[in-house]
């Protein structure tokens, strides 16, 4: 993940007329070792053959390539700029994006899990462009994951980048490694949460956040 150069300077405390330059947007890019689609397609074909599935028919001939491209897409989050703005009005209430669509891949079976993320924060000096909350969710979801780690990564990263008074992340998802195989618990979902700052330490703020997500307090 790339970081901007620390070019921001601060006005002297006794000279409020000198504006404080806005920090440059953080360019967020998921660092990978590179994607070799040809090698992935070859490996997918060998994988299918090892399971006794031939790829000679017209309908299956292109399946290894489609598998390779599908997983490459699942593991490739789109780069974005983390755009923030000064909190000129000193807004001190929750900012919450509910029901952000989420899809990731279980790192234990490489099967998808899908659901929604509720992401909120109590602003400090700066506020975040609302669409960026969904971008941050995508950024950490587009890789082999476990839901517990994903929830904490989103919250910790927002806490570091925004320096808000508090951050809350709740994820509810259905894991196909649990519903389509093994125990086959069709219809079950998994709920995880991470609360930081005031949303963790203050019972009233915590209850408000959970109530706004639609979860029981």
């Amino acid at each position: 993940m790339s970081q901007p150069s620390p070019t921001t300077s601060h006005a002297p405390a006794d000279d409020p007329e000198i504006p404080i330059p806005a920090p440059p947007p953080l360019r967020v890019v998921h660092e990978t070792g590179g994607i070799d689609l040809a090698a992935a397609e070859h490996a997918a074909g060998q994988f299918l053959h090892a399971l006794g599935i031939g790829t000679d028919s017209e309908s299956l001939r292109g399946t290894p390539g489609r598998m390779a491209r599908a997983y490459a897409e699942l593991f490739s989050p789109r780069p974005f700029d983390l755009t923030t703005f000064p909190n000129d009005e000193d807004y001190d209430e929750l900012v919450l994006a509910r029901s952000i669509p989420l899809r990731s891949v279980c790192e234990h079976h490489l099967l998808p899990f899908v659901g929604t993320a509720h992401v909120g924060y109590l602003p400090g000096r700066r506020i975040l462009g609302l669409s960026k909350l969904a971008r941050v969710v995508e950024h950490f979801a587009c890789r082999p994951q476990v839901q517990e780690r994903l929830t904490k990564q989103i919250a910790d990263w927002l806490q570091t980048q925004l320096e808000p008074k508090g951050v809350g992340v709740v994820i509810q998802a259905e894991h196909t490694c649990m519903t389509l195989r093994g125990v086959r618990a069709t219809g079950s979902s998994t709920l995880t949460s991470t609360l930081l700052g005031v949303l963790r330490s203050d019972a009233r703020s915590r209850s408000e956040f959970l109530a706004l997500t639609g979860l029981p307090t």
Side-chain angles (χ1 to χ4, degrees), residues 18 41 58 64 66 74 76-77 82 85 104 117 124 127 172 176 217:
I18 300 178
E41 179 177 350
E58 182 178 351
R66 288 188 287 268
L74 287 171
S76 300
L82 190 74
F85 307 94
S104 190
I127 57 176
Q172 186 168 10
T176 56
T217 58

Side-chain angles (χ1 to χ4, degrees), residues 79-151:
F80 68 97
D81 292 326
L82 190 74
T83 310
T84 65
F85 307 94
N87 185 10
D88 292 332
E89 303 301 322
D90 292 325
Y91 184 81
D92 60 358
E93 300 292 338
L94 273 169
V95 178
L96 175 65
R98 297 197 308 176
S99 302
I100 298 171
L102 175 143
R103 58 119 173 96
S104 190
V105 176
C106 163
E107 69 179 29
H108 301 136
H109 301 92
L110 287 190
L111 290 173
F113 63 92
V114 296
T116 56
H118 311 292
V119 183
Y121 69 101
L122 282 168
R125 292 187 303 108
R126 300 190 69 79
I127 57 176
L128 181 66
L130 288 178
S131 67
K132 307 309 179 185
L133 293 174
R135 292 285 198 179
V136 173
V137 170
E138 177 188 300
H139 177 78
F140 286 102
C142 284
R143 62 195 71 178
Q145 274 287 14
V146 296
Q147 186 174 325
E148 297 89 339
R149 181 199 304 132
L150 173 60
T151 308

Side-chain angles (χ1 to χ4, degrees), residues 191-207:
L191 189 69
T192 52
S193 66
T194 296
L195 303 176
L196 302 175
V198 173
L199 294 184
R200 183 182 184 92
S201 62
D202 182 70
R204 182 176 178 181
S205 297
R206 181 170 62 250
S207 295

